[in-house]
Amino acid sequence: MSAMVEMHKLNKSYGTFHVLKDVDLEVKSGEVVVLIGASGSGKSTLIRCVNGLEHYGDGRLAVDGIELAPSIDGFGTSRKELAGIRREVGMVFQHFNLFPHKTALENVMLAPIRVRKVPRAKAEESARKLLARVGLGDHVNKYPAQLSGGQQQRVAIARSLAMEPKLMLFDEPTSALDPEMVGEVLEVMRELARSGMTMMIVTHEMGFAREVADRVIYIDHGRVLEEGPPSAIFDHPQHERTQSFLSRVLKH
């Protein structure tokens, strides 16, 4: 399998705060990689670097064969190349960021029409199929305020899928949801994993991580301390900090 994401000695700082420290990480096409670790460990910053939402300091980062190069004013990568990467990378955030004045259908149609110049009729047909795929076929004409949090997050996933991305990034997609709504979002993500979508997921849902991940990455204070298949990380963690973290989170 070819590498969709390649990081080598990646560093990122906010002023004097060193967030990412010499991160080496590769994500292959079709692989599901789950990032775990305490809040503030750098997980979200890492995946935000992948689609250019954060500018990294030094090291190397390539996405789908295109290298994102750091420079004084952000990226040495051209705006055209960066825009190209963002078209291929979908991202789902903690908060849904839907347009409140547009229906679920309109939210999903918008980017393909504006960015990919997809004809409106084709964009609508695709959006309806995607909303049905995430279990919202009967809610296409509802506005965000008429939907539950779990339903809004599923619209957000459909919106990202509408751009036909090669890679999906999830930044704690269930952390803002009420507990009873978490399962419906995770089920959509399970279906994506089964379909072969390349995914990088930041989550605190350890049972879900064990189930869907091809590889689990434990990050602590900006460093990758341990990685491996879920069975190795959850059942036989090698690093004492991994052991300590999992002993805390698996109690809950």
Side-chain angles (χ1 to χ4, degrees), residues 3-22:
M4 178 61 64
V5 179
E6 298 173 272
M7 297 181 185
H8 181 65
K9 301 295 183 188
L10 195 76
N11 285 272
K12 164 70 179 175
S13 295
Y14 295 111
T16 59
F17 180 42
H18 199 171
V19 187
L20 298 176
K21 304 169 184 174
D22 292 332

Side-chain angles (χ1 to χ4, degrees), residues 98 104 107-108 131 136 147 151-159:
L98 300 176
N107 267 282
V108 176
L131 286 166
L136 295 173
L147 300 171
Q151 289 171 331
Q152 289 184 60
Q153 189 63 294
R154 284 186 280 156
V155 173
I157 293 172
R159 177 182 58 184

